[in-house]
């Protein structure tokens, strides 16, 4: 059933008792052309684009829990393409363009809100850096504006723009087309659209082993039986090392936990997404009215999907350093998400040393905004057995070759990215 | 907030430490020392277990010692700690 | 207005201390000891807010942290506080509060229109609409955002402050009710260090609402004695108004304490971070509502809350009540009301024959019990006026219904232990069929639950269970268990409850049965979610927003799970539970942040000469944590003019700059030279004592990590310097290799960054200035370029390094930090004769750009030594960190960006900061970028703008003309590529 104002009104007459399932819940078949492991946004988007762009519909997405239950449903929903290095810039800009049409494309409102993303500059060095980045963005066809302190203050009135602030605001880099989206809706929208395209979405199906014969994975052992596939795509960011380990691969990835939190909802007080590199922090206000804050990593390998006080304290301190008026609001909920931190802060989308295993991982903090392009490129890579030009640089072997894509210049230390 | 058992100072809050990652990577020596692949593995590849992990920490706001901690990455259960050099010297 | 609903006597309020307060502009009165909620009810005010989505009228529903409805905007101005639960606000004289989410008034709220159109707004309707036209979402969103939200954020900085406190203890007891108090007493008697936290301002928990006896004395007396005894132990900390909000790793618990009474200097709240050896969780249980038509009307309240208002506050929330319950505990409420003179219209109980002690007492008191009945619907316009009850069969109430007039409906659907903290500790829950709720099962940390928090609802058992838990916790923490009498209460025999989750009737389709009151989630929304496939409990929660309100679903959780389970034909435990995340109740952000906000957000590092710079009128900039003088403008002088003047002083005469911020590491030991050979790309063994050398360090991946000058000050001793930014990282990196990989090396590292004040004295006259201050021979023969000596300067023992960042004859002078200002002033005095000036970081930057020295922008973590023209430094005949991977083809590719100089072709145009280099600036995007400007300035020495840049194949392009473009500033400058050393390329001046 197509979603529309009309269908909503018609269903209201029948007390909403006739809405169909958004996606089926079929039992797994024994064989598929392609199995995507991981029912997050990336896996579901990959399945959707395999069907839509490549006509490959004998596809299953297998998910150990419920779809969108990992980082898709735990992130702070920021979408932007304000990257400096070219592979990142082109990839994320493609993603942003897909976001711009996504609700219509999926017939599911993902509430992509292009409210703008401001990176605050706190020093001349920041301004210098942001100029360099913004100029590169513009040359790459991405919107960017350098704001003065007064312009920042006008857009974000509650920001402390006084010169006595510990990190005074000296300006900012604005990407107007950036914004936020409703994270759960992205998973559900892709699932519904993929399902409509013939993809089987199989939840509560945990991979327990990958059986390997030489350079191929011959079968996937799951809690719902053995599944075989011609090609297997791995899209399990957070657990990539764990699953790749089942195939005998060691990855340039460490798993870290990133903390996030929301405040209680209040009436609108913050219309844009505000981020600050100097204080490691980002904030936006959700449509429901909650301030959504992202902070730092726990800074040690962890699969413990739980909240941790020190990074939460730091994120709140950063918020109040910038927005002293928010001090009396309350923190409602905190949580941690498990991240694939790669060795250069950039993702890996491509082939592996195994013939029929493909990898989409290493998303660090940035996976949510990449969802459409990640699915687009990963589907292309799986369908054609070679990368799309947009993910050609994001190979697994780039590290050994000295072709790291290190946006921050932080070096091979996953927790600095 | 983890409590890390520093073998020199006793248990201390994690906020006194900085992390050093996988404790079992070491610079290639002997014949491997000339191998670019071995160096790449040293620099880029990491054990990343969901479970028991041997890792390095520096008690940076304390005794400045690098230590080797064995910890479960899922439950954060601590299985002990030792000076970092002990195991490295033994290998 | 009088307190019409205040009972003549009883309760813990202090009738001798009236408190005037106002709600929505109405002036009212309560007593000390009231909450805002009890004071409102005493005045007959039930209606306190509008619901989130449909803007329905909502009244006070609970009496504590579970309250979903009564959220108010407390106070006004800078101290305003949105979404505050009236049930937890301790009343004080002069309190001002207002209702939220209504316009223009609470009674006549325009938003109530949403209720009219609610048919069009089922769960998840957003996802299905607002998609056309494509570009309009921002417009829809604008409306939606303003309709959503709840209270108003303050718009001025918080005038109050907050404190943090770290504490350790043997036993932390979370909860100040019967189980918590007996646990604390049992632990305290062993001599254990105990912290007891109680979220209420009164101790006693459930005892405060129950008219019962402990050890044959009134319950309130037992509480008083217990607290008094605890106060006698020196190692017991009693924290009232303190909520344990988070259970983190390794038994760290977060407690937030409201400081009371507040002196003007006291913090508003204090955050305790408690590392406990053992924890006792005694947070009690939360009563569940029942789900029936229009169960959200003001006047519908939790039965236990009504008991609390009657017994604790001496308030009767109504005059004629119906009690609707599926268990025995609510009969106590009926009896409490009956005793207080409230008419009980009936107790409606779906059980066919309730015959526990409490129902028996109720019957004996003449209260009518409608057994086998359920309430199908509450009726009323602005407040409950009556209920329709009838015989219930399998959750359905047929047409044979009886209308019971009432102005108060007390509901109880059973009790759910407060397992939130246990669940946060990662303990595993078990579903207990007997109480239809989850209880703690397997612990993951050093804790135990006690009393109602683990499903024991009888007072007598709570007392005993708490005592045992406290004693066991103290023992586990290493204290000696002692035997002591356990307080006792009468055991009250009760009947099992009868689960009743979603009460349907023929009114089902035309009315709403709320599961989550705060977020307006109805049983029909749950059914819709399930119908559409959102069947995982997390999907359902996120799709319908069930349990996502500020009450975190405290009253809706189990009901929602049960309704979901019934719809998908599963058992409740198979549906699972949602994750309980910290905090237990929402915590003020200011308390989380504590004192480290504002100017204290990060420490500020100041050089030993900072005061001197302030006196000299320096303008400072932040560099990492440091505050450094950027420029010393004279009156009326612009920053660029001042910078030019400072640069020219150095080039023509002499200048001094404070370089104390540089990292300094003392490297000592027999293997010191060997160590340096391993960490730097160049050679060190052959460096003579008394000589300095520029060194370059790589990361393991072969890219440049840091640079600096290191000096051999003895056979086995080096003085290493690092960049300001990397001082800490370099130290850690060196310690890592030394301690982890090269423990066999005899080397000791000491960070001496803060021990030495450092001044660079630069310019052609610098030797003369220096000579004026020392007896030592500082002539070129005795102290040549890259030489080192120790000498007394201006009476202070100093280290003199003849090194140069500016490109001039220059010295870096280090003296013990406390003498920094003395040295600075002595240099100024001696320099006066030579027209010595002071210069800041801006001039320092210009000097080094003119000289082509690299700094942070050139060493951006992506460059190799060869990229910045230092490839020749990498010694071929030795290994060092990073060298093996530096050999990788991509790091030696021909098209890498290389360091070059740029000058404007017209000789005048400034080269913009952050400009990118392109061949054709007019080309449409994506326009290929072949390089970027790293550092740019106006060179007063060369009298034209110059810049450093990284450019693909740059060294082969000298003489080529390109464009430096800055679309951000709409600037394009035609530039010529030149070698990166603009000034004195042969280095004659610095060797002079």
């Amino acid at each position: 059933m197509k979603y529309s104002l009309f269908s909503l009104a018609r269903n209201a007459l029948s007390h909403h008792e006739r809405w169909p399932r958004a996606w089926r819940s079929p039992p797994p078949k024994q064989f598929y052309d392609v199995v995507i492991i991981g029912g997050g946004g990336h896996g579901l988007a990959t399945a959707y684009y395999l069907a839509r762009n490549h006509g490959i519909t004998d596809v299953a997405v297998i998910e150990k829990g419920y779809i969108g239950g990992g980082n898709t449903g735990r992130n702070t929903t920021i979408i932007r393409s304000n990257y400096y290095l070219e592979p990142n810039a082109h990839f994320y800009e493609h993603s942003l363009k897909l976001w711009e049409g996504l609700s219509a494309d999926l017939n599911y409102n993902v509430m992509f809100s292009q409210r703008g993303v401001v990176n605050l500059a706190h020093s001349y060095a920041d301004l210098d850096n942001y100029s360099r980045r913004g100029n590169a963005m513009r040359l790459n066809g991405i919107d960017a504006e350098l704001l003065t302190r007064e312009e920042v203050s006008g857009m974000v009135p509650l920001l402390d723009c006084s010169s006595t602030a510990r990190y005074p605001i000296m300006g900012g880099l604005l990407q107007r087309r950036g914004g936020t989206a409703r994270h759960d809706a992205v998973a559900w929208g892709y699932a519904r659209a993929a399902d409509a395209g013939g993809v089987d979405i199989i939840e509560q199906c945990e991979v327990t082993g990958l059986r390997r014969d030489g350079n191929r994975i011959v079968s996937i052992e799951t809690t719902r039986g053995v599944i075989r596939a011609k090609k297997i795509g791995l899209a399990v960011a957070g657990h990539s090392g764990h699953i790749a380990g089942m195939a005998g691969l060691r990855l340039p990835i460490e798993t870290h936990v990133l903390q996030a939190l929301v405040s209680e909802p209040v009436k609108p007080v913050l219309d844009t997404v505000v981020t600050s590199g100097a204080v490691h922090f980002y904030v936006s206000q959700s449509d429901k009215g909650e301030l959504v804050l992202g902070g730092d990593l726990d800074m040690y390998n962890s699969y413990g999907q739980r909240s941790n006080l020190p990074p939460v304290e730091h994120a709140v301190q950063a918020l109040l350093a910038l927005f002293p008026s928010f001090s009396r609001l309350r923190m409602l909920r905190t949580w941690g998400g498990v991240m694939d931190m790669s060795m250069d802060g950039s993702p890996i989308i491509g082939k592996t040393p195994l013939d029929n295993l493909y990898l989409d991982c290493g998303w660090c903090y940035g996976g949510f905004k990449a969802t459409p392009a990640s699915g687009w490129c990963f589907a292309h890579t799986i369908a054609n057995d070679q990368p799309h030009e947009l993910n050609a640089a994001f190979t697994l072997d780039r590290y050994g070759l000295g072709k790291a894509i290190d946006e921050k210049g932080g070096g091979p230390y996953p927790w600095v990215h | 907030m983890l409590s890390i058992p520093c073998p020199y100072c006793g248990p201390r809050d994690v906020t006194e430490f900085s992390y050093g990652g996988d404790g079992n990577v070491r610079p290639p020596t002997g014949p491997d020392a000339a191998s670019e692949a071995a160096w790449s593995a040293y620099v880029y590849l990491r054990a990343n277990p969901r479970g028991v992990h041997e890792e390095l920490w520096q008690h940076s706001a304390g005794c400045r010692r690098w230590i080797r901690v064995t910890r479960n990455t899922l439950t954060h259960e601590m299985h002990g700690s030792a000076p970092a050099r002990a195991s490295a010297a033994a290998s | 207005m009088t307190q019409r609903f205040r009972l003549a006597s009883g309760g813990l309020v202090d009738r001798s201390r009236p408190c005037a307060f106002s709600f929505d502009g109405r002036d009212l009165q309560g007593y000390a000891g009231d909450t805002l909620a009890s004071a409102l009810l005493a005045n007959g005010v039930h209606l306190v807010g509008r619901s989130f989505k449909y803007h329905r009228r909502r009244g006070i529903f609970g009496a504590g942290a579970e309250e979903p409805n009564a959220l108010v905007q407390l106070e006004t101005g800078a101290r305003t506080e949105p979404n505050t639960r009236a049930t937890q606000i301790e009343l004080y004289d002069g309190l001002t509060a207002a209702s939220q989410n209504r316009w223009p008034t609470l009674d006549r709220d325009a938003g109530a229109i949403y209720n009219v159109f609610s048919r069009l707004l089922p769960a998840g309707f957003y996802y299905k609409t607002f998609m056309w036209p494509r570009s309009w979402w921002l417009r829809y969103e604008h409306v939606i955002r303003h309709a959503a939200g709840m209270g108003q954020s303050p718009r001025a900085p918080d005038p109050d402050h907050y404190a943090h406190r770290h504490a350790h203890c043997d036993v932390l007891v979370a909860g100040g009710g019967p189980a918590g108090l007996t646990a604390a007493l049992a632990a305290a008697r062993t001599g254990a260090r105990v912290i007891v936290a109680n979220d209420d301002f009164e101790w006693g928990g459930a005892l405060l609402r129950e008219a019962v006896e402990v050890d044959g004395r009134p319950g309130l007396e037992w509480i008083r004695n217990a607290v008094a005894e605890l106060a006698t132990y020196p190692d017991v900390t009693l924290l009232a108004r303190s909520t344990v909000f988070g259970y983190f790793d390794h038994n760290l618990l977060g407690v937030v304490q409201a400081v009371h009474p507040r002196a003007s200097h006291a913090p508003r709240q204090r955050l305790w971070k408690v590392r406990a050896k053992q924890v006792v969780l005694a947070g009690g249980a939360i009563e569940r509502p029942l789900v029936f038509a229009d169960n959200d009307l003001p006047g519908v309240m939790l039965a236990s809350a009504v008991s609390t208002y009657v017994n604790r506050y001496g308030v009767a929330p109504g005059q004629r009540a119906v009690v609707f319950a599926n268990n025995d505990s609510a009969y106590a409420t009926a009896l409490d009301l009956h005793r207080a003179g409230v008419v009980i219209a009936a107790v409606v109980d779906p059980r066919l024959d309730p015959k526990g002690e409490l129902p028996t007492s109720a019957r004996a008191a003449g209260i009518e019990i409608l057994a086998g009945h359920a309430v199908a619907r509450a009726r009323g316009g602005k407040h409950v006026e009556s209920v329709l009850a009838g015989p219930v069969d399998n959750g359905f109430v047929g047409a044979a219904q009886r209308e019971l007039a009432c102005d108060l409906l007390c509901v109880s659907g059973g009790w759910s232990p407060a397992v939130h903290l246990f669940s946060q500790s990662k303990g595993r829950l078990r579903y207990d069929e007997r109480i239809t709720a989850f209880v703690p099962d397997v612990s993951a940390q050093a804790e135990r639950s006690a009393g109602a928090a683990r499903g024991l609802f009888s007072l007598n058992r709570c007392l005993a269970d708490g005592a045992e838990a406290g004693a066991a916790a103290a023992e586990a923490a290493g204290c000696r268990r002692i035997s002591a009498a356990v307080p006792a209460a009468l055991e009250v025999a009760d009947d099992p409850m009868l689960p009743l989750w979603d009460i349907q009737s023929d009114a089902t389709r035309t009315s709403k049965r709320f599961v989550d009151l705060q977020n307006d989630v109805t049983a029909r929304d749950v059914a819709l979610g399930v119908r559409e496939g959102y069947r995982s409990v997390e999907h359902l929660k996120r799709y319908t927003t069930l349990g996502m309100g500020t009450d975190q679903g405290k009253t809706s959780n189990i009901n929602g799970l049960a309704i979901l389970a019934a719809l998908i034909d599963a058992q409740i435990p198979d549906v699972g539970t949602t994750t309980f995340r910290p905090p237990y109740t929402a915590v003020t952000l200011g308390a989380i942040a504590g004192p480290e906000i504002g100017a204290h957000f990060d420490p500020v590092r100041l050089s030993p000469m900072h005061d001197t710079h302030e006196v000299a009128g320096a303008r400072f900039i932040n560099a990492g944590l440091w505050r450094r003088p950027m420029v010393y403008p004279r009156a009326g002088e612009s920053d660029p003019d001042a910078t030019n003047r400072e640069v020219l002083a150095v080039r023509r005469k002499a200048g001094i700059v404070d370089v104390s911020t540089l990292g300094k590491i003392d490297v000592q030991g027999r293997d010191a030279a060997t160590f340096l050979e391993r960490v730097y790309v160049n050679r060190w063994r052959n460096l003579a004592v008394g000589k300095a050398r520029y060194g370059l360090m790589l990361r393991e991946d072969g890219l440049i990590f840091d640079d600096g000058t290191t000096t051999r000050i003895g056979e086995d001793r080096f003085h290493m310097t690092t960049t300001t930014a990397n001082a800490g990282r370099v130290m850690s990196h060196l310690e890592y290799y030394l301690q982890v990989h090269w423990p066999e090396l005899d080397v000791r590292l000491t960070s001496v960054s803060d021990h030495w004040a450092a001044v660079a004295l630069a310019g052609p006259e610098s030797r003369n200035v220096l000579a004026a201050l020392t007896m030592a021979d500082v002539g070129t023969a005795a102290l040549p370029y890259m030489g080192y000596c120790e000498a007394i300067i201006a009476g202070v023992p100093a280290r003199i390094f003849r090194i140069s960042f500016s490109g001039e004859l220059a010295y870096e002078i280090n003296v013990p930090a406390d003498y920094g200002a003395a040295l600075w002033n002595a240099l100024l005095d001696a320099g006066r004769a030579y027209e010595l000036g002071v210069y800041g970081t801006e001039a320092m930057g210009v000097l080094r750009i003119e000289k082509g020295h690299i700094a942070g922008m050139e060493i951006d973590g992506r460059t190799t030594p060869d990229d910045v023209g230092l490839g020749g430094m990498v010694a071929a005949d030795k290994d060092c960190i990073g060298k093996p991977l530096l050999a990788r083809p991509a790091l030696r590719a021909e098209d890498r960006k290389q360091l070059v100089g740029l000058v404007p072709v017209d000789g005048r145009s400034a080269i913009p900061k952050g400009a990118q280099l392109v061949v054709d600036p007019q080309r449409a995007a994506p326009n290929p970028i072949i390089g970027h400007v790293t550092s740019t300035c106006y060179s007063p020495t060369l009298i034209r703008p110059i810049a450093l840049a990284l450019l693909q194949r740059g060294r082969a392009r000298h003489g080529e003309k390109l464009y430096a473009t800055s679309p951000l500033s709409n600037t394009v400058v035609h530039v010529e590529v030149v070698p990166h050393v603009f000034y004195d390329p042969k280095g004659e001046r610095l060797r002079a």
Side-chain angles (χ1 to χ4, degrees), chain A residues 30-371:
Chain A
Q30 290 187 346
F31 181 84
Y32 289 93
D33 284 344
V34 178
V35 167
I36 305 295
I37 303 175
H42 290 232
L44 294 164
T46 304
Y48 170 70
Y49 292 117
L50 275 172
R52 198 195 84 164
N53 293 0
H54 305 282
I56 299 174
T57 57
D58 186 24
V59 176
V61 176
I62 59 178
E63 164 56 46
K64 73 169 174 175
Y66 54 95
I67 59 165
N71 294 329
T72 303
R74 289 166 185 270
N75 70 88
T76 50
T77 80
I78 297 169
I79 291 162
R80 58 186 175 86
S81 62
N82 55 359
Y83 280 82
Y84 177 56
L85 299 178
E86 290 200 16
N88 284 331
H90 295 312
F91 175 83
Y92 285 105
E93 177 60 12
H94 181 65
S95 208
L96 186 51
K97 289 192 173 126
L98 291 174
W99 277 110
E100 286 172 329
L102 198 58
S103 294
D105 193 12
L106 300 178
N107 179 230
Y108 202 103
N109 189 354
V110 299
M111 305 184 198
F112 178 39
S113 166
Q114 293 186 285
R115 53 181 72 178
V117 174
V118 183
N119 294 352
L120 298 176
H122 300 285
S123 64
Y124 291 110
D126 281 353
L127 279 174
D128 197 21
N129 257 320
Y130 287 149
S131 304
R132 192 167 298 111
R133 169 141 55 120
N135 284 328
M137 287 165 63
R138 292 276 288 268
L139 291 169
N140 283 321
I142 303 168
D143 72 301
E145 294 164 53
L146 200 63
L147 304 181
T148 62
R149 167 160 52 192
E150 290 65 34
E151 287 167 329
V152 171
S153 177
M155 284 187 82
V156 192
L158 290 183
L159 197 59
D160 178 5
C161 285
S162 67
S163 56
T164 53
R166 177 64 185 85
Y167 288 102
I169 310 294
M170 302 187 62
L173 182 66
L174 168 67
Q175 183 178 26
R176 280 191 201 276
R177 288 164 60 241
T180 59
R182 175 83 182 97
H183 54 11
D184 295 321
V186 176
W188 300 336
Y190 270 119
R192 176 167 164 271
D195 176 272
V199 172
D200 282 359
I201 293 164
I202 300 159
E203 298 178 88
Q204 304 296 334
C205 179
E206 182 169 4
V207 174
T208 53
L210 294 173
R211 184 155 297 167
R212 188 171 154 177
D213 181 10
N215 248 14
R216 292 184 67 79
I217 304 290
V218 290
S219 63
I220 306 163
E221 290 159 9
T222 78
T223 50
R224 296 182 69 178
V226 173
I227 303 173
R228 289 176 303 122
K230 286 186 199 156
K231 296 179 176 182
I232 298 162
L234 210 57
V236 292
H239 301 275
S240 303
H242 182 69
I243 304 286
M246 293 178 183
L249 297 180
R250 193 169 156 103
L251 298 180
I253 281 177
E254 282 183 7
T255 299
H256 286 255
V257 167
L258 180 70
Q259 298 294 334
L261 62 118
V262 295
S263 75
E264 290 185 345
V266 286
K267 294 288 177 191
V269 282
L270 180 62
D271 295 334
T272 52
V273 180
V274 175
T275 81
S276 165
V279 301
H280 300 285
F281 154 85
Y282 36 100
V283 63
S284 64
Q285 188 178 20
S286 73
D287 286 343
K288 199 178 172 192
E290 298 157 331
L291 296 177
V292 184
L293 278 74
D296 255 332
L297 295 175
D298 284 352
M299 298 286 175
Y300 42 85
N301 284 48
S302 174
Y303 289 86
Q305 228 172 35
R306 68 186 88 173
S307 85
N308 184 21
L309 201 49
V312 165
E313 279 178 63
H314 185 270
V316 174
Q317 285 160 354
L319 174 77
L320 300 189
L322 298 172
F323 296 92
S325 315
F326 293 158
S327 166
R328 296 174 94 88
L329 303 185
R330 294 189 206 89
M331 178 176 89
L332 178 60
R333 200 160 51 238
T334 68
W335 66 93
V338 179
M339 309 283 139
D340 273 7
M341 297 305 294
S342 70
M343 286 285 166
D344 56 359
S346 296
I348 298 161
I349 315 170
K351 301 171 69 170
T352 68
L354 302 187
D355 295 340
N356 64 337
L357 182 70
Y358 302 82
L359 202 55
D360 180 294
C361 65
W363 290 100
C364 299
Y365 307 179
F368 180 67
K369 62 181 173 289
T371 305

Side-chain angles (χ1 to χ4, degrees), chain C residues 854-883:
Chain C
I854 55 172
M857 299 320 304
E858 289 77 35
I859 318 177
D860 64 359
R862 292 186 287 263
T863 48
T864 67
D866 187 63
D867 294 345
V868 295
L870 298 174
M873 277 182 71
V874 184
D877 53 350
K878 70 160 183 98
D879 277 331
C880 70
I881 295 169
K883 191 174 163 195

Side-chain angles (χ1 to χ4, degrees), chain C residues 743-799:
Chain C
E744 72 283 2
L745 292 187
D746 176 39
V747 175
R748 295 286 180 277
L749 302 172
T750 312
S751 167
V752 293
S753 299
D754 293 338
H755 300 202
W756 298 100
V759 180
L761 166 65
E765 298 284 5
S766 57
R767 184 181 295 123
N768 294 331
V769 176
L770 186 59
L773 288 172
T774 180
M775 308 289 286
D777 181 0
V778 293
T780 276
L783 186 57
Y785 177 59
M786 295 310 253
Y788 165 79
C789 72
E790 290 168 16
I792 304 291
I793 298 179
V796 180
R799 292 174 165 185

Side-chain angles (χ1 to χ4, degrees), chain C residues 184-206:
Chain C
L185 282 168
R189 286 167 184 162
T190 69
R193 285 187 301 166
V194 179
I195 295 175
V196 204
N198 182 37
D199 63 354
D200 205 327
F201 54 91
E202 291 284 359
W203 294 88

Side-chain angles (χ1 to χ4, degrees), chain A residues 12-35:
Chain A
L13 296 177
S14 54
H15 299 274
H16 300 288
E17 281 165 10
R18 294 189 192 154
W19 287 107
R21 289 190 70 135
W23 61 90
R24 297 164 298 132
S25 182
K29 297 193 295 178
Q30 290 187 346
F31 181 84
Y32 289 93
D33 284 344
V34 178
V35 167

